[in-house]
Amino acid sequence: MSELIPAPRAVEGPSPCGVPLDRDTTLWAAPGTQTTERWLRATLGAALGLPLRPAPEDGRGGVRLLLDDSLKPEAYRLSATADRGVEIRGGDPAGVFWGAQTLRQLLGPDAFRRAPVRPGHTPGIAHQIIEDSPRFRWRGLMLDVARHFMPKDGVLRYLDLMAAHKLNVFHFHLTDDQGWRLEIQRYPRLTEVGSWRTRTKFGHRASPLWEEKPHGGYYTQDDIREIVAYAAERHITVVPEIDVPGHSQAAIAAYPELGNTDVVASATAGDTALSVWDDWGVSPNVLAPADNTLRFYEGVFEEVLDLFPSEFIHVGGDECPKDQWRRSPAARARIRELGLADEDELQSWFIGHFDTWLSARGRRLIGWDEILEGGLAAGATVSSWRGYAGGIAAARAGHDVVMCPEQQVYLDHRQADGADEPVPIGYVRTLEDVYRFEPVPPQLTEAEAGRVLGTQANVWTEVMEDQARVDYQAFPRLAAFAEVAWSALPAPAERDFAGFERRMAAHYRRLDALGVAYRPPAGPRPWQRRPGVLGRPIEGAPPNR
């Protein structure tokens, strides 16, 4: 299998003879394969010092890229033969690109660097044929940049890391209680005020430690256009998340009228102003269920739709405390006015409004599984995070689902139970645990299972203060997750984890070349530890609900 990750569906060979790639190797690209052509020259060419000059006609003997409508979307067929060179056929442009990612792995870890480290060396690949296609259409990574901001270059780097693992959906968590990260031109205070907090809790919310300096940042609209275009060149869709009606204190800090002002004023002697939250957890301050709130967020989403061409728009919908609504005369009057039973139905009405609004503009709403409470909006898709139950309920009700259960694929959870594990959060989720994760619950019928669009790993950054910490939590587990999302694996208990570990031995060298600060198999390096920083470990096996 040539140590490939994720594992391909079928490999014929390899045999001892091979195909060299040298300074005379040409690159021929058929119409429709230009994104891969550009990527090969800019990335693989730079790493190995290969000009990859354009070839005449079909470029036999070099590298050839072409589309093949006999293949499924995202599928590819890579063949390397001494007389024909390397040919990558794809069922669509994305398939050609995923084939190029496989070619990069076949060429060894030097192909993952930015400049040649062995001048004069001629890389090559063994004679072989690889046929491959993904199991799921949604192979996602969610990155939380609201709790700890990741500068634009770090986001672009993560898109490259996703592409290297054949992940194709980047769920961009842009707003939360602790920060608003997206420029909205009609509401400038969202970033002027909402993108900065005065200090940051260091560790879990029970930790007594604080970093006593402002933290923040945001992406301009041109930054977002660049990120979206960069992702598209790598056949990755960016799905933005704008959280409503909970996790919204940063927005309320910028525009206090968005909050439940009657409750806030009574609790603060008439002052309705809040600050951007500097703690972790779930803020009790949520959006008011008022018409002016709806109009405000319609304005936000109008700019979001201009920036993000994705089919799906994520609206959050999770962890919305109802206490303010219960105590707010205005919210209770709204419930009576709408003829609703309770606050759960009020949240359902709120989400349903934006489901209708997005549908009218040709987009689809997706939200965390709390949007099931009080009734699910007609066109909504569910991100099932509190286990499998929300996804099962949604699929049985005829709704599409992305499976991302906290107990299985939340990569902020700790990787081992050792005392040196930095800021240990949640359950122990080892590399093997993630490798044995199964996105489709066995309780679903074949038709219901067809509602599972795919799966997603989530990286929440409360205790990840910089890129190195994100790397540590994400890798190597993201490599295991990528194989689960892409490859046709057997049932979890039957998966060859020993074989995966053997392939990971080669993959660590690729991650080293990319500069990924992953967790080594033997445990954290000294500089990866965080002694004395309080976490929140949970003992025992996670519930499989």
Side-chain angles (χ1 to χ4, degrees):
M1 198 174 285
S2 302
E3 320 301 340
L4 296 174
I5 290 178
R9 289 180 179 263
V11 178
E12 181 183 319
S15 68
C17 58
V19 180
L21 272 69
D22 55 28
R23 295 188 63 82
D24 294 325
T25 300
T26 58
L27 173 60
W28 181 82
T33 67
Q34 288 81 4
T35 55
T36 302
E37 179 187 17
R38 287 191 292 270
W39 181 86
L40 281 170
R41 286 204 175 92
T43 304
L44 204 59
L48 300 175
L50 302 177
L52 295 175
R53 296 181 181 88
E57 298 182 5
D58 67 353
R60 291 193 178 191
V63 178
R64 304 171 67 239
L65 311 175
L66 60 160
L67 300 178
D68 185 338
D69 58 13
S70 70
L71 299 174
K72 295 179 180 179
E74 294 196 274
Y76 69 89
R77 185 177 189 271
L78 185 155
S79 58
T81 56
D83 59 334
R84 293 182 58 85
V86 177
E87 179 181 273
I88 301 173
R89 292 176 174 265
D92 59 5
V96 178
F97 184 72
W98 303 133
Q101 297 300 323
T102 296
L103 173 63
R104 188 189 196 186
Q105 290 197 20
L106 293 171
L107 289 166
D110 288 356
F112 289 80
R113 296 190 179 274
R114 296 188 182 184
V117 294
R118 269 168 268 280
H121 170 69
T122 299
I125 63 174
H127 177 112
Q128 59 192 299
I129 298 173
I130 298 171
E131 295 186 349
D132 203 4
S133 60
R135 180 184 179 191
F136 293 111
R137 59 172 279 203
W138 185 301
R139 307 180 301 279
L141 172 68
M142 189 228 69
L143 181 62
D144 166 22
V145 297
R147 273 50 176 270
H148 277 103
F149 179 67
M150 180 176 285
K152 181 192 68 179
D153 284 352
V155 174
L156 299 178
R157 173 177 176 268
Y158 257 83
L159 291 170
D160 281 330
L161 292 172
M162 289 178 64
H165 293 83
K166 298 185 175 73
L167 298 173
N168 70 340
V169 177
F170 179 55
H171 176 167
F172 207 6
H173 184 80
L174 288 162
T175 74
D176 217 297
D177 297 312
Q178 295 86 0
W180 184 285
R181 306 293 178 219
L182 173 63
E183 177 190 23
I184 299 296
Q185 292 176 348
R186 74 186 71 185
Y187 302 128
R189 286 177 59 83
L190 286 172
T191 47
E192 291 171 359
V193 174
S195 69
W196 295 92
R197 57 179 181 263
T198 57
R199 63 177 186 168
T200 297
K201 177 63 66 80
F202 194 47
H204 180 254
R205 59 181 174 270
S207 169
L209 305 176
W210 293 87
E211 186 178 41
E212 297 286 352
K213 68 178 184 181
H215 176 86
Y218 66 92
Y219 309 102
T220 68
Q221 294 203 352
D222 280 346
D223 290 337
I224 293 296
R225 292 184 184 99
E226 180 183 358
I227 288 167
V228 169
Y230 194 86
E233 282 281 305
R234 286 146 184 80
H235 298 277
I236 296 171
T237 299
V238 182
V239 174
E241 181 179 354
I242 305 296
D243 231 323
V244 297
H247 285 292
S248 298
Q249 184 164 326
I252 297 168
Y255 292 92
E257 64 270 21
L258 297 174
N260 295 280
T261 54
D262 50 356
V263 175
V264 175
S266 64
T268 56
D271 184 5
T272 61
L274 298 168
S275 60
V276 177
W277 212 25
D278 60 10
D279 208 345
W280 310 133
V282 180
S283 169
N285 294 292
V286 302
L287 297 175
D291 286 340
N292 72 291
T293 306
L294 299 181
R295 301 292 87 77
F296 183 97
Y297 273 87
E298 287 171 359
V300 169
F301 282 117
E302 283 176 3
E303 295 193 25
V304 168
L305 297 190
D306 285 341
L307 294 168
F308 296 93
S310 56
E311 175 185 6
F312 291 93
I313 303 295
H314 209 293
V315 301
D318 61 316
E319 297 179 324
C320 178
K322 309 296 193 299
D323 290 347
Q324 284 192 340
W325 288 352
R326 294 187 184 98
R327 292 185 287 116
S328 164
R332 293 201 305 273
R334 189 66 157 174
I335 291 173
R336 292 192 298 271
E337 173 194 337
L338 295 169
L340 304 176
D342 54 22
E343 290 76 16
D344 284 342
E345 288 195 5
L346 184 61
Q347 177 169 339
S348 178
W349 164 82
F350 199 107
I351 297 297
H353 174 86
F354 287 104
D355 178 61
T356 301
W357 190 90
L358 289 168
S359 295
R361 289 154 180 82
R363 306 298 185 94
R364 297 180 64 185
L365 179 144
I366 183 170
W368 303 108
D369 57 50
E370 285 94 333
I371 67 174
L372 287 157
E373 298 167 4
L376 188 57
T381 297
V382 170
S383 298
S384 187
W385 77 273
R386 291 181 296 178
Y388 291 99
I392 291 170
R396 287 176 172 169
H399 291 267
D400 288 339
V401 177
V402 174
M403 284 293 185
C404 50
E406 174 187 18
Q407 305 89 333
Q408 312 297 332
V409 289
Y410 267 36
L411 301 185
D412 44 307
H413 283 217
R414 58 193 173 133
Q415 303 187 62
D417 59 4
D420 290 334
E421 208 63 31
V423 200
I425 299 295
Y427 299 100
V428 172
R429 293 285 83 192
T430 66
L431 183 66
E432 181 173 1
D433 290 329
V434 174
Y435 190 67
R436 298 193 188 280
F437 163 61
E438 173 49 50
V440 179
Q443 301 96 313
L444 296 180
T445 66
E446 183 178 352
E448 292 164 350
R451 288 290 186 178
V452 179
L453 300 179
T455 184
Q456 180 173 290
N458 295 338
V459 178
W460 301 101
T461 62
E462 287 94 333
V463 299
M464 301 179 211
E465 71 276 11
D466 55 30
Q467 178 178 284
R469 280 286 291 125
V470 175
D471 279 5
Y472 180 91
Q473 293 299 134
F475 287 97
R477 294 183 296 181
L478 193 63
F481 172 80
E483 185 149 310
V484 169
W486 176 277
S487 303
L489 298 177
E494 300 168 8
R495 293 177 188 171
D496 181 11
F497 180 68
F500 177 77
E501 281 191 305
R502 175 185 57 77
R503 287 182 285 122
M504 275 303 301
H507 199 64
Y508 286 122
R509 294 176 62 206
R510 300 176 190 131
L511 297 178
D512 287 334
L514 288 166
V516 177
Y518 59 84
R519 180 190 188 274
R525 296 180 173 94
W527 56 87
Q528 292 174 321
R529 301 167 188 164
R530 297 292 186 275
V533 182
L534 187 66
R536 184 182 63 91
I538 303 174
E539 301 302 328
N544 188 21
R545 60 174 185 265

